[in-house]
Amino acid sequence: MWWYVAKRLLQTIPVFLGATLILFILLKLRPGDPILNLAGNKPVSQEVRDALAAQYHLDDPLFVQWFQFAKNALTFNFGETFAGQPVFDLIKQTFPVTVVLALMALTIDAVLGIAIGTFAGLRRNGWFDSSALVVSLLLISIPIFVVGFVMQLVFGVKLGWTSPTVGSDWTIGDLILPAIVLAIANFAYTIRLTRTSVAENLSADHVRTARAKGLSERLVIRNHVLRNSLVPVVTYIGINLGSLMAGAVITETIFNVPGIGNAAYVAIQKGETSTVVAIVTFMVMVYVLMSLLVDLIYALLDPRIRYV
Amino acid sequence: MRLSRRTRLAGVAFVAVGSLTLAACGGGSDDKSGGTDSVITVYGTNPQNPLIPTATNEVGGGDPLDNLFSGLVAYNTDGSVTNEVAESIEPDAAKKVWTVKIKSGEKFTNGEAITADSFVKAWNYGANPANKQLNNYFFYPIEGTDDIGNTVDGDTVKGLKVVDDSTFTVTLKAPESDFPLRLGYSAYFPVPESAYGPDGKITKEFGERPIGNGPYKLTKSGWERNKQISLEPNPDYDGIHKPKNGGLVFKFYAGGGTDAAYTDVQSGNLDVLDQVPPSALTTFESDDKVAAYNEPGSSFSSLTIPEKLAHFEGAEGDLRRAAISLAINRPEITEKIFNNARTPAKDFTSPVLDGWTDKVEGNDVLTFNAEEAKKKWAEADAISKWDGKFVVAYNADGAGNKEFTEAMTNQVKNVLGIDSEPKVYPTFDELRKEVTERTIKTAFRTGWQADYPSMLNYLGPIYATGAGSNDGDYTNPAFDKLISEASAAEGDERYKLIGEAQAILLKELPAIPLWYQNATAVTNKDLNGFEFNWKQKPDYYKLTK
């Protein structure tokens, strides 16, 4: 298995190079001039412009910028933001809150999604199943920012149950509302995936065998239905953690969560190429490692899966 | 390899410990400033540049800097000035050489005395292009700099001379009677000797933790990146902005910020939000959870038509510009689109300024008049037949830009019967890049927020020949002459000259005035002392609760 892990880790190198190159090309295609942004509406002299462009390598050819970035990244040197903060510090500072937010969302998503999905799957076409399907359809179709603003208004402003925004002195309690909002979009898929998976397994051969052996219904469901049903669900949820972190931009903006999504958004607005690339690359790496972790968890759920 | 039971457990443990560790990273939130009720939390954004007076030109860093430093003069709420660090600022007879004397006993918060050098060295540093200071543009009136404020010949500005410890002189390129008005702006703040490193450059540490001489100083936690900047009163400060509160916290809102900040004011988590988000503009004045403020402000919006645009030159151009201006129904747009958060323009400056009047000669061209507009357009057609379309460029990242540009081009289309449409640029810098490189082929929206409270600051930098922000390349020697005469004049004479200069602009319309942006704000209902200053900012030192 360790060889498998090593192999997977080695695979991250081309992923890193490819992802950063694509990012550099995309950002290069963005028109506009970050220096003008930096200067607001005031005129900038050519000398100052040139000096700043040189400092942030804005005028270098694309490949030179990319090569420079990749080389520096090896030593965790991701350069500085326009405000003079090392990008690595920015990530270190903003990442934890995003991770906590994502993990909370994931927990809500997994616990509720799997519970409701299983229940619906076991009693297919019953009233519970039907209403779960309708509700999940509803949740899928409402845009996340609508859910966000409505929940903020209702629970934060009107009812005052929780702080409507998170801000710098964030606590786990502040993050509950944004985490629920973040979880909602994925939650609907988790329900549906679990339901289908459970339903399929109920009529599988090994379940029939288990029943035939005279095992109690509880044991059948726990050991033979659920365990097998969870394989696709775990894949989905695991990969989700990566996308939850990346997708937190909207939620973080609505609730003013000082996370990495927010930081990326601001950097894109200002055209800070190196900052954007560094943050996004970091997210890509998290994503890659998450999928590795998911693959390893597979083996825990399904002994037939081997890593050689 | 098959996973043994032990490895499996280890895997589970690894995942569990991983999540716990990550969760623990975030748990440690700071102590909320220990029970001092009088600390006021205000809306802010993370500064984009190090906090160095000559490097900061945006509000995120500008607002804290204005409170951390005080300049030679300080602005009163109405925009008039009072000497602050300066004992006196006296011109020679020609108003070209200004002698500045500094009060004795003034200190930075680290105990260092403020001397003539604290200013001269900082200004030289700011004007030297090698130092990449974004505010170098402010030094352009001083002799020894080029049009854009860079030093020429060497590293120091020729027009700055230290006479003795507490005196220095500033020689200007041209006479200017309102020179002292400039000096309260952050680019002119003093910088202590300890700011400079051994290489003569202002250090990174200083940019992180500036040492000032203003009403406030940084608290121990100071600038926490992407979180907040906390200030506490400076006990040694004795200027006109003496803090009435126990400190200020600029709480940062990134991304779609003002919406979240508005919600925070409603729920009592934030005391002051000095710009109401577009989503709340229709409701904020009737919202019983907040105290609302809405009054005409100092930023001016216009539509610039470049001089080189076909059909917009010479006599034909004057007629067409006037026709377009007459075709725009300003009150309708300010009411329907901006919910009265804009005030229709009557001139090229701002009603908050000293000397402003709504009776500038020729300003009836700013009043909607469809008949007159059609007539002028027909007269222009007689000179040279109109072809093509009238396109107005705007940047989509500014609130309301899309809506007003669409409404405006529609009005032009309906009144003049010509093809007119908006052209979108996703971001401000994309639009500005084409404008500064002069590659833009259409009319475009423009705005101006003054650097110091003077009507001349709205006219000179934008419409004078070759001026730094003359985006349309307008040139008129008669206007230039009036502006430089007004610069040297004082009192009624000065305002008369400014009026004449504006009359020229209203005739030739290098830019079509649209409206003044109102200053809007919401505050916590318990907050007292809120008042807008000329910069559309609250005077932070006055706030109490």
Side-chain angles (χ1 to χ4, degrees), chain A residues 168-190:
Chain A
S168 53
D169 298 326
W170 60 279
T171 59
I172 299 284
D174 291 338
L175 287 177
I176 292 175
L177 198 58
I180 293 174
V181 171
L182 192 56
I184 276 178
N186 292 320
F187 167 54
Y189 288 105
T190 314

PDB file of all heavy atoms in Angstrom, chain A residues 168-190:
ATOM      1  N   SER A 168     -13.744  38.508  11.987  1.00  0.00           N
ATOM      2  CA  SER A 168     -12.397  38.045  12.303  1.00  0.00           C
ATOM      3  C   SER A 168     -12.339  37.171  13.548  1.00  0.00           C
ATOM      4  O   SER A 168     -11.608  36.203  13.600  1.00  0.00           O
ATOM      5  CB  SER A 168     -11.498  39.259  12.475  1.00  0.00           C
ATOM      6  OG  SER A 168     -12.077  40.135  13.408  1.00  0.00           O
ATOM      7  N   ASP A 169     -13.119  37.513  14.563  1.00  0.00           N
ATOM      8  CA  ASP A 169     -13.051  36.723  15.794  1.00  0.00           C
ATOM      9  C   ASP A 169     -14.026  35.563  15.724  1.00  0.00           C
ATOM     10  O   ASP A 169     -14.934  35.441  16.527  1.00  0.00           O
ATOM     11  CB  ASP A 169     -13.402  37.590  17.004  1.00  0.00           C
ATOM     12  CG  ASP A 169     -12.417  38.721  17.152  1.00  0.00           C
ATOM     13  OD1 ASP A 169     -11.236  38.504  16.826  1.00  0.00           O
ATOM     14  OD2 ASP A 169     -12.826  39.808  17.585  1.00  0.00           O
ATOM     15  N   TRP A 170     -13.797  34.705  14.777  1.00  0.00           N
ATOM     16  CA  TRP A 170     -14.787  33.660  14.524  1.00  0.00           C
ATOM     17  C   TRP A 170     -14.746  32.556  15.567  1.00  0.00           C
ATOM     18  O   TRP A 170     -13.695  32.255  16.125  1.00  0.00           O
ATOM     19  CB  TRP A 170     -14.600  33.087  13.143  1.00  0.00           C
ATOM     20  CG  TRP A 170     -13.238  32.477  12.922  1.00  0.00           C
ATOM     21  CD1 TRP A 170     -12.090  33.152  12.620  1.00  0.00           C
ATOM     22  CD2 TRP A 170     -12.886  31.106  13.007  1.00  0.00           C
ATOM     23  NE1 TRP A 170     -11.054  32.294  12.500  1.00  0.00           N
ATOM     24  CE2 TRP A 170     -11.504  31.018  12.735  1.00  0.00           C
ATOM     25  CE3 TRP A 170     -13.600  29.937  13.271  1.00  0.00           C
ATOM     26  CZ2 TRP A 170     -10.828  29.798  12.727  1.00  0.00           C
ATOM     27  CZ3 TRP A 170     -12.918  28.735  13.253  1.00  0.00           C
ATOM     28  CH2 TRP A 170     -11.555  28.683  12.991  1.00  0.00           C
ATOM     29  N   THR A 171     -15.920  32.016  15.839  1.00  0.00           N
ATOM     30  CA  THR A 171     -16.008  30.864  16.721  1.00  0.00           C
ATOM     31  C   THR A 171     -16.775  29.773  15.984  1.00  0.00           C
ATOM     32  O   THR A 171     -17.422  30.055  14.974  1.00  0.00           O
ATOM     33  CB  THR A 171     -16.789  31.201  18.005  1.00  0.00           C
ATOM     34  OG1 THR A 171     -18.085  31.632  17.595  1.00  0.00           O
ATOM     35  CG2 THR A 171     -16.131  32.293  18.801  1.00  0.00           C
ATOM     36  N   ILE A 172     -16.699  28.562  16.511  1.00  0.00           N
ATOM     37  CA  ILE A 172     -17.417  27.453  15.874  1.00  0.00           C
ATOM     38  C   ILE A 172     -18.903  27.791  15.784  1.00  0.00           C
ATOM     39  O   ILE A 172     -19.551  27.534  14.779  1.00  0.00           O
ATOM     40  CB  ILE A 172     -17.224  26.157  16.696  1.00  0.00           C
ATOM     41  CG1 ILE A 172     -15.736  25.787  16.757  1.00  0.00           C
ATOM     42  CG2 ILE A 172     -18.048  25.010  16.135  1.00  0.00           C
ATOM     43  CD1 ILE A 172     -15.176  25.187  15.496  1.00  0.00           C
ATOM     44  N   GLY A 173     -19.433  28.428  16.840  1.00  0.00           N
ATOM     45  CA  GLY A 173     -20.844  28.771  16.859  1.00  0.00           C
ATOM     46  C   GLY A 173     -21.237  29.687  15.701  1.00  0.00           C
ATOM     47  O   GLY A 173     -22.280  29.497  15.075  1.00  0.00           O
ATOM     48  N   ASP A 174     -20.352  30.662  15.407  1.00  0.00           N
ATOM     49  CA  ASP A 174     -20.636  31.577  14.301  1.00  0.00           C
ATOM     50  C   ASP A 174     -20.713  30.842  12.969  1.00  0.00           C
ATOM     51  O   ASP A 174     -21.367  31.290  12.038  1.00  0.00           O
ATOM     52  CB  ASP A 174     -19.517  32.627  14.178  1.00  0.00           C
ATOM     53  CG  ASP A 174     -19.507  33.595  15.349  1.00  0.00           C
ATOM     54  OD1 ASP A 174     -20.540  33.722  15.998  1.00  0.00           O
ATOM     55  OD2 ASP A 174     -18.452  34.210  15.593  1.00  0.00           O
ATOM     56  N   LEU A 175     -19.960  29.738  12.906  1.00  0.00           N
ATOM     57  CA  LEU A 175     -19.837  29.066  11.611  1.00  0.00           C
ATOM     58  C   LEU A 175     -20.993  28.120  11.313  1.00  0.00           C
ATOM     59  O   LEU A 175     -21.105  27.604  10.205  1.00  0.00           O
ATOM     60  CB  LEU A 175     -18.514  28.284  11.545  1.00  0.00           C
ATOM     61  CG  LEU A 175     -17.243  29.127  11.394  1.00  0.00           C
ATOM     62  CD1 LEU A 175     -16.014  28.235  11.418  1.00  0.00           C
ATOM     63  CD2 LEU A 175     -17.253  29.934  10.112  1.00  0.00           C
ATOM     64  N   ILE A 176     -21.865  27.878  12.317  1.00  0.00           N
ATOM     65  CA  ILE A 176     -22.920  26.887  12.100  1.00  0.00           C
ATOM     66  C   ILE A 176     -23.814  27.271  10.925  1.00  0.00           C
ATOM     67  O   ILE A 176     -24.054  26.471  10.022  1.00  0.00           O
ATOM     68  CB  ILE A 176     -23.754  26.688  13.383  1.00  0.00           C
ATOM     69  CG1 ILE A 176     -22.876  26.004  14.434  1.00  0.00           C
ATOM     70  CG2 ILE A 176     -24.994  25.843  13.107  1.00  0.00           C
ATOM     71  CD1 ILE A 176     -23.523  25.856  15.786  1.00  0.00           C
ATOM     72  N   LEU A 177     -24.262  28.518  10.925  1.00  0.00           N
ATOM     73  CA  LEU A 177     -25.175  28.948   9.865  1.00  0.00           C
ATOM     74  C   LEU A 177     -24.527  28.845   8.474  1.00  0.00           C
ATOM     75  O   LEU A 177     -25.089  28.206   7.578  1.00  0.00           O
ATOM     76  CB  LEU A 177     -25.680  30.365  10.172  1.00  0.00           C
ATOM     77  CG  LEU A 177     -26.926  30.809   9.433  1.00  0.00           C
ATOM     78  CD1 LEU A 177     -28.093  29.875   9.689  1.00  0.00           C
ATOM     79  CD2 LEU A 177     -27.301  32.227   9.858  1.00  0.00           C
ATOM     80  N   PRO A 178     -23.332  29.438   8.287  1.00  0.00           N
ATOM     81  CA  PRO A 178     -22.707  29.273   6.979  1.00  0.00           C
ATOM     82  C   PRO A 178     -22.459  27.804   6.623  1.00  0.00           C
ATOM     83  O   PRO A 178     -22.579  27.423   5.450  1.00  0.00           O
ATOM     84  CB  PRO A 178     -21.383  30.026   7.083  1.00  0.00           C
ATOM     85  CG  PRO A 178     -21.307  30.590   8.432  1.00  0.00           C
ATOM     86  CD  PRO A 178     -22.597  30.398   9.117  1.00  0.00           C
ATOM     87  N   ALA A 179     -22.144  26.991   7.619  1.00  0.00           N
ATOM     88  CA  ALA A 179     -21.885  25.581   7.332  1.00  0.00           C
ATOM     89  C   ALA A 179     -23.154  24.889   6.825  1.00  0.00           C
ATOM     90  O   ALA A 179     -23.110  24.088   5.887  1.00  0.00           O
ATOM     91  CB  ALA A 179     -21.352  24.866   8.572  1.00  0.00           C
ATOM     92  N   ILE A 180     -24.286  25.243   7.431  1.00  0.00           N
ATOM     93  CA  ILE A 180     -25.543  24.651   6.974  1.00  0.00           C
ATOM     94  C   ILE A 180     -25.813  25.071   5.525  1.00  0.00           C
ATOM     95  O   ILE A 180     -26.138  24.252   4.671  1.00  0.00           O
ATOM     96  CB  ILE A 180     -26.714  25.086   7.887  1.00  0.00           C
ATOM     97  CG1 ILE A 180     -26.539  24.473   9.275  1.00  0.00           C
ATOM     98  CG2 ILE A 180     -28.054  24.682   7.285  1.00  0.00           C
ATOM     99  CD1 ILE A 180     -27.548  24.942  10.296  1.00  0.00           C
ATOM    100  N   VAL A 181     -25.627  26.350   5.267  1.00  0.00           N
ATOM    101  CA  VAL A 181     -25.849  26.845   3.906  1.00  0.00           C
ATOM    102  C   VAL A 181     -24.937  26.121   2.916  1.00  0.00           C
ATOM    103  O   VAL A 181     -25.356  25.686   1.847  1.00  0.00           O
ATOM    104  CB  VAL A 181     -25.607  28.369   3.837  1.00  0.00           C
ATOM    105  CG1 VAL A 181     -25.627  28.863   2.398  1.00  0.00           C
ATOM    106  CG2 VAL A 181     -26.643  29.104   4.658  1.00  0.00           C
ATOM    107  N   LEU A 182     -23.673  25.994   3.309  1.00  0.00           N
ATOM    108  CA  LEU A 182     -22.706  25.328   2.438  1.00  0.00           C
ATOM    109  C   LEU A 182     -23.087  23.871   2.221  1.00  0.00           C
ATOM    110  O   LEU A 182     -22.906  23.309   1.142  1.00  0.00           O
ATOM    111  CB  LEU A 182     -21.315  25.439   3.068  1.00  0.00           C
ATOM    112  CG  LEU A 182     -20.116  25.070   2.224  1.00  0.00           C
ATOM    113  CD1 LEU A 182     -20.099  25.881   0.940  1.00  0.00           C
ATOM    114  CD2 LEU A 182     -18.835  25.326   3.001  1.00  0.00           C
ATOM    115  N   ALA A 183     -23.620  23.246   3.275  1.00  0.00           N
ATOM    116  CA  ALA A 183     -23.943  21.825   3.197  1.00  0.00           C
ATOM    117  C   ALA A 183     -25.164  21.570   2.317  1.00  0.00           C
ATOM    118  O   ALA A 183     -25.277  20.521   1.693  1.00  0.00           O
ATOM    119  CB  ALA A 183     -24.195  21.275   4.594  1.00  0.00           C
ATOM    120  N   ILE A 184     -26.066  22.562   2.279  1.00  0.00           N
ATOM    121  CA  ILE A 184     -27.364  22.313   1.661  1.00  0.00           C
ATOM    122  C   ILE A 184     -27.291  21.817   0.223  1.00  0.00           C
ATOM    123  O   ILE A 184     -27.952  20.836  -0.143  1.00  0.00           O
ATOM    124  CB  ILE A 184     -28.254  23.587   1.776  1.00  0.00           C
ATOM    125  CG1 ILE A 184     -28.920  23.558   3.154  1.00  0.00           C
ATOM    126  CG2 ILE A 184     -29.304  23.642   0.687  1.00  0.00           C
ATOM    127  CD1 ILE A 184     -29.782  24.747   3.441  1.00  0.00           C
ATOM    128  N   ALA A 185     -26.449  22.444  -0.588  1.00  0.00           N
ATOM    129  CA  ALA A 185     -26.408  22.064  -1.998  1.00  0.00           C
ATOM    130  C   ALA A 185     -25.977  20.605  -2.166  1.00  0.00           C
ATOM    131  O   ALA A 185     -26.570  19.851  -2.940  1.00  0.00           O
ATOM    132  CB  ALA A 185     -25.464  22.986  -2.746  1.00  0.00           C
ATOM    133  N   ASN A 186     -24.953  20.189  -1.419  1.00  0.00           N
ATOM    134  CA  ASN A 186     -24.439  18.825  -1.561  1.00  0.00           C
ATOM    135  C   ASN A 186     -25.328  17.798  -0.873  1.00  0.00           C
ATOM    136  O   ASN A 186     -25.430  16.658  -1.303  1.00  0.00           O
ATOM    137  CB  ASN A 186     -23.047  18.731  -0.950  1.00  0.00           C
ATOM    138  CG  ASN A 186     -22.060  19.522  -1.746  1.00  0.00           C
ATOM    139  OD1 ASN A 186     -22.109  19.521  -2.967  1.00  0.00           O
ATOM    140  ND2 ASN A 186     -21.175  20.214  -1.068  1.00  0.00           N
ATOM    141  N   PHE A 187     -25.925  18.263   0.188  1.00  0.00           N
ATOM    142  CA  PHE A 187     -26.762  17.448   1.040  1.00  0.00           C
ATOM    143  C   PHE A 187     -27.845  16.734   0.218  1.00  0.00           C
ATOM    144  O   PHE A 187     -28.079  15.525   0.344  1.00  0.00           O
ATOM    145  CB  PHE A 187     -27.343  18.409   2.079  1.00  0.00           C
ATOM    146  CG  PHE A 187     -28.455  17.912   2.903  1.00  0.00           C
ATOM    147  CD1 PHE A 187     -28.320  16.737   3.605  1.00  0.00           C
ATOM    148  CD2 PHE A 187     -29.626  18.648   3.010  1.00  0.00           C
ATOM    149  CE1 PHE A 187     -29.354  16.292   4.403  1.00  0.00           C
ATOM    150  CE2 PHE A 187     -30.654  18.210   3.800  1.00  0.00           C
ATOM    151  CZ  PHE A 187     -30.525  17.027   4.489  1.00  0.00           C
ATOM    152  N   ALA A 188     -28.453  17.479  -0.703  1.00  0.00           N
ATOM    153  CA  ALA A 188     -29.508  16.908  -1.533  1.00  0.00           C
ATOM    154  C   ALA A 188     -28.971  15.738  -2.359  1.00  0.00           C
ATOM    155  O   ALA A 188     -29.626  14.696  -2.483  1.00  0.00           O
ATOM    156  CB  ALA A 188     -30.081  17.983  -2.439  1.00  0.00           C
ATOM    157  N   TYR A 189     -27.755  15.913  -2.901  1.00  0.00           N
ATOM    158  CA  TYR A 189     -27.168  14.831  -3.699  1.00  0.00           C
ATOM    159  C   TYR A 189     -26.850  13.630  -2.829  1.00  0.00           C
ATOM    160  O   TYR A 189     -27.020  12.486  -3.237  1.00  0.00           O
ATOM    161  CB  TYR A 189     -25.898  15.313  -4.397  1.00  0.00           C
ATOM    162  CG  TYR A 189     -26.167  16.257  -5.528  1.00  0.00           C
ATOM    163  CD1 TYR A 189     -25.924  17.617  -5.388  1.00  0.00           C
ATOM    164  CD2 TYR A 189     -26.677  15.792  -6.744  1.00  0.00           C
ATOM    165  CE1 TYR A 189     -26.180  18.497  -6.424  1.00  0.00           C
ATOM    166  CE2 TYR A 189     -26.931  16.657  -7.784  1.00  0.00           C
ATOM    167  CZ  TYR A 189     -26.681  18.020  -7.619  1.00  0.00           C
ATOM    168  OH  TYR A 189     -26.937  18.875  -8.637  1.00  0.00           O
ATOM    169  N   THR A 190     -26.350  13.895  -1.625  1.00  0.00           N
ATOM    170  CA  THR A 190     -26.006  12.794  -0.726  1.00  0.00           C
ATOM    171  C   THR A 190     -27.248  11.955  -0.436  1.00  0.00           C
ATOM    172  O   THR A 190     -27.203  10.729  -0.452  1.00  0.00           O
ATOM    173  CB  THR A 190     -25.416  13.334   0.596  1.00  0.00           C
ATOM    174  OG1 THR A 190     -24.454  14.331   0.288  1.00  0.00           O
ATOM    175  CG2 THR A 190     -24.772  12.228   1.401  1.00  0.00           C
TER     176      THR A 190
END
